[in-house]
Amino acid sequence: MNLKHILIAGGVALSSMMTTSCTKFLEVDPTNKVDDSNFFQTSTEAYQALMGIYSQVIFAYPYSVALQSDVLSDDMYTGAANIGDMREYQEMARFQTTTTNPTIANVWSKCYTGIQRANTLLVNYDLIEFKGTEEEDKKNYKGEALFLRGHFYFELLRNFENVPLILEPLDATNWKGVEQSDPSVVYAQAAKDMMDGIELMAERISDGQQGRLDKYGAKAELVKMFMFYTGYYNQQTMPVEGGAAIDANQALTMVDDIINNSGRMLIENYGDLYSPISADFNQEVLFEFPYVATGSYDWGGSFRGNYQCIQSGPRDREANPGTPILAGGWGIGIPSQELYEAYMEEGDLERMHGTIVLAEELIDAGGGLGASFNHSGLFTNKITTHTSRFPDAGSRELNYSVNYHYIRLADIMLLGAELAVELGQDPSKYFNPVRKRANLQPKSGITLEDIKKERRLELALEGHRYFDVLRWSKGDINYVNNELSVTSYTLRGPRVEGDEYLNGTGQNLTGDIGASADFIVNFDNSKRGFQPIPQTERDLNPLLKQNAGY
């Protein structure tokens, strides 16, 4: 049994054992949990607790990690039925997020629920009796819990920046004095948690435990956190609580360790990364969010399917396992024409087709198609309604089992290329293998601009572009504005002509549909790229201060 299945039992078991409210992380109901002293006794219970922490990593409804960040980027428009549909994403995509936005509230809640669970396990760890044959498990479970606490803090920091640092379980009395900490303090603690965790984590995860992290997957996220912190804040090093700061040389050493010793490698064909059949747990992925079809009909949040798939599927398309290529969905997350044109300019057809499905391909294959708001005639080919993964039980919306490859080796190799340029070294050994896999010619004299373009095309629609643009700003928020704002827009005409490509009102579905104004985006410099502190949290705790610009 792999983690996709273990998470179901673990997530359900822990939901009543280590709780903070699903909507309000500071609102604790002490009658809704098992007494810690009765629960934390055996290695089995430690494992269940760890699975409860992991379950928060993948927690989705109504929040999808990649989709939420991609709609903020220049690679994606929100789409949906109209400007009023999925308003929480529409707000975010136009940098007009309100303090009552439910998606943002769920980001906050799911992270602090994970932190509460990690804190509860860690504070009780010495109470747990491990057998003499379980010493490796004792190290690994603690290491993973520490690392995951750092992971949740990193997610909070790059979304909200100003967040409370909480290192012990909250109960009905000790939450009232919680205040936000300086971001550098929280980054330092997150780095310490990650580094302490890595020391305890396994080199390899055993068969049947796919989805749990080994130390190389953990190092990969530590490198990403280093790059974001030093980039966005224009620093040379990242602080570590109680230890020496991490510098670029150390980060590049971690990259080399991952490349040389993790056992991961670039898979041969780019299109297989999210291939409907073979993508899950492929040899390139370092940190995977596993999803499973449970057959659930429960919209209350207990399902473990990948909710982004139904969000991303094309509108007004047949929804059955026989529909060619993609089944129907809600049309949320429309790839931008600018992204498509970037592929075509480079002649990067393999990665384009691995990333984008064209409207004409769907129409030619049969199954019908409609237009979304922000319609570009483009759809994602990654986390979506692949009909070979069509759920065979439960609510279709809740039971797509497509994994999310949060960090894969190509991502880390291109970060290695950035670090090499920064350190005055040749980046080609990190950069050119990624291009070779895409059947593109190698480059010499590689610049930072080359690497930025390569990251966009290699990692598009996987949730990285927005945070890359933020960190590349080096503290100049005008850089972000210039990259993400669309101050004027020229509608693109159809790519192909023919009556078969027209919808019921005579609009050609292979190009842009709508008004130019629908595609205008104005980045708000005053918000500095961060989201608002949810108003629900500030109502509970007036000590929490709102972020700038809100």
Side-chain angles (χ1 to χ4, degrees):
M1 186 187 302
N2 65 34
L3 188 61
K4 293 182 80 161
H5 299 93
I6 293 167
L7 277 174
I8 301 167
V12 172
L14 267 291
S15 66
S16 62
M17 294 174 181
M18 300 185 332
T19 61
T20 174
S21 166
C22 286
T23 57
K24 302 173 184 177
F25 93 94
L26 296 178
E27 186 176 61
V28 179
D29 182 355
T31 65
N32 192 31
K33 67 176 182 178
V34 174
D35 187 285
D36 296 344
S37 62
N38 294 330
F39 178 66
F40 291 98
Q41 295 181 3
T42 69
S43 60
T44 297
E45 289 160 346
Y47 181 75
Q48 289 175 327
L50 181 63
M51 292 302 101
I53 303 168
Y54 270 110
S55 72
Q56 288 304 114
V57 173
I58 70 162
F59 185 81
Y61 178 72
Y63 162 55
S64 302
V65 174
L67 183 63
Q68 179 259 327
S69 56
D70 278 331
V71 297
L72 290 161
S73 80
D74 50 346
D75 285 350
M76 182 180 282
Y77 283 92
T78 304
N82 51 57
I83 186 61
D85 188 20
M86 293 303 292
R87 183 167 291 278
E88 56 266 43
Y89 284 118
Q90 298 283 0
E91 289 177 359
M92 294 167 65
R94 286 163 174 74
F95 303 100
Q96 298 169 354
T97 311
T98 62
T99 61
T100 57
N101 185 295
T103 294
I104 291 305
N106 270 278
V107 178
W108 181 282
S109 174
K110 80 114 178 183
C111 289
Y112 276 111
T113 299
I115 290 165
Q116 171 83 342
R117 292 180 179 185
N119 287 341
T120 305
L121 175 58
L122 292 167
V123 80
N124 287 285
Y125 211 74
D126 291 341
L127 302 176
I128 302 169
E129 294 183 10
F130 287 86
K131 298 175 184 177
T133 56
E134 297 174 330
E135 284 303 310
E136 285 302 307
D137 289 339
K138 183 177 181 179
K139 289 172 52 183
N140 296 166
Y141 297 170
K142 184 176 183 179
E144 289 169 66
L146 281 165
F147 174 80
L148 289 172
R149 184 169 68 180
H151 162 80
F152 289 123
Y153 274 119
F154 178 39
E155 190 169 349
L156 287 164
L157 285 160
R158 68 180 187 171
N159 277 287
F160 301 101
E161 185 180 37
N162 299 297
V163 300
L165 178 61
I166 302 167
L167 301 177
E168 61 179 20
L170 295 176
D171 59 29
T173 59
N174 69 353
W175 61 267
K176 295 182 180 180
V178 169
E179 298 184 65
Q180 289 138 305
S181 299
D182 186 276
S184 64
V185 173
V186 187
Y187 271 105
Q189 181 62 48
K192 173 179 168 54
D193 281 350
M194 289 186 180
M195 294 177 72
D196 288 350
I198 288 166
E199 287 300 309
L200 298 171
M201 291 169 71
E203 294 257 344
R204 298 284 186 277
I205 293 298
S206 61
D207 292 342
Q209 295 288 302
Q210 288 175 307
R212 282 176 59 195
L213 281 158
D214 63 22
K215 64 176 55 186
Y216 297 107
K219 282 185 178 182
E221 186 166 41
L222 180 57
V223 171
K224 285 183 74 71
M225 187 167 73
F226 170 85
M227 298 297 284
F228 185 85
Y229 177 84
T230 56
Y232 183 83
Y233 295 102
N234 197 21
Q235 299 293 311
Q236 296 299 306
T237 63
M238 181 173 70
V240 179
E241 174 62 29
I246 300 172
D247 62 20
N249 280 295
Q250 291 168 287
L252 187 56
T253 297
M254 284 190 277
V255 169
D256 288 336
D257 188 27
I258 293 164
I259 293 170
N260 296 328
N261 299 312
S262 70
R264 277 36 168 236
M265 59 188 72
L266 299 179
I267 66 173
E268 184 175 355
N269 298 310
Y270 185 86
D272 291 340
L273 282 166
Y274 276 95
S275 161
I277 305 300
S278 60
D280 293 350
F281 305 117
N282 69 62
Q283 63 191 1
E284 185 168 332
V285 184
L286 286 150
F287 192 160
E288 186 128 348
F289 289 16
Y291 293 92
V292 64
T294 66
S296 174
Y297 289 91
D298 178 14
W299 281 83
S302 63
F303 59 89
R304 290 286 177 259
N306 192 339
Y307 185 67
Q308 184 174 341
C309 293
I310 194 68
Q311 292 176 306
S312 298
R315 292 190 65 80
D316 300 326
R317 187 164 175 78
E318 293 174 9
N320 62 68
T323 308
I325 308 175
L326 301 179
W330 298 348
I332 300 168
I334 300 299
S336 69
Q337 293 281 8
E338 184 185 354
L339 174 64
Y340 172 74
E341 290 161 1
Y343 283 115
M344 301 309 289
E345 179 183 355
E346 185 74 8
D348 195 347
L349 297 181
E350 183 162 344
R351 288 193 294 202
M352 187 277 285
H353 285 297
T355 303
I356 294 172
V357 177
L358 307 178
E360 50 266 40
E361 295 174 309
L362 297 177
I363 293 169
D364 290 346
L369 185 64
S372 299
F373 182 68
N374 298 135
H375 183 87
S376 62
L378 307 169
F379 304 91
T380 180
N381 198 27
K382 289 183 174 177
I383 305 171
T384 188
T385 51
H386 295 292
T387 50
S388 60
R389 302 292 285 271
F390 195 92
D392 59 7
S395 292
R396 179 174 66 92
E397 295 88 343
L398 311 181
N399 288 284
Y400 275 98
S401 58
V402 178
N403 286 3
Y404 169 40
H405 309 326
Y406 170 51
I407 307 177
R408 52 187 178 86
L409 186 62
D411 182 355
I412 298 304
M413 292 176 72
L414 292 174
L415 292 180
E418 283 190 54
L419 288 163
V421 168
E422 179 181 338
L423 294 168
Q425 300 177 21
D426 181 5
S428 59
K429 70 176 182 179
Y430 306 103
F431 181 88
N432 281 328
V434 177
R435 285 183 63 81
K436 181 180 179 182
R437 192 257 300 275
N439 289 321
L440 298 172
Q441 291 298 311
K443 286 190 174 184
S444 57
I446 299 160
T447 67
L448 180 58
E449 289 305 311
D450 292 328
I451 299 167
K452 289 178 180 180
K453 183 174 183 179
E454 198 69 23
R455 281 189 65 82
R456 184 182 193 183
L457 301 179
E458 173 68 26
L459 302 169
L461 311 186
E462 295 182 37
H464 303 288
R465 171 70 176 172
Y466 179 67
F467 296 115
D468 276 348
V469 172
L470 285 186
R471 68 183 179 82
W472 287 330
S473 71
K474 293 292 185 181
D476 178 9
I477 208 65
N478 285 316
Y479 172 90
V480 185
N481 195 332
N482 292 335
E483 288 291 307
L484 301 185
S485 290
V486 181
T487 56
S488 63
Y489 190 85
T490 301
L491 294 174
R492 274 65 161 185
R495 287 179 297 277
V496 291
E497 298 286 354
D499 291 347
E500 65 270 37
Y501 302 114
L502 304 181
N503 64 10
T505 59
Q507 296 168 310
N508 190 306
L509 291 163
T510 70
D512 287 337
I513 295 176
S516 295
D518 296 339
F519 297 88
I520 298 298
V521 175
N522 291 298
F523 181 81
D524 186 344
N525 282 26
S526 70
K527 297 169 183 174
R528 301 175 48 255
F530 296 109
Q531 303 303 320
I533 307 301
Q535 189 59 44
T536 50
E537 302 301 332
R538 298 188 67 232
D539 290 343
L540 285 167
N541 182 3
L543 295 177
L544 298 179
K545 297 179 176 63
Q546 188 53 269
N547 280 338
Y550 294 98

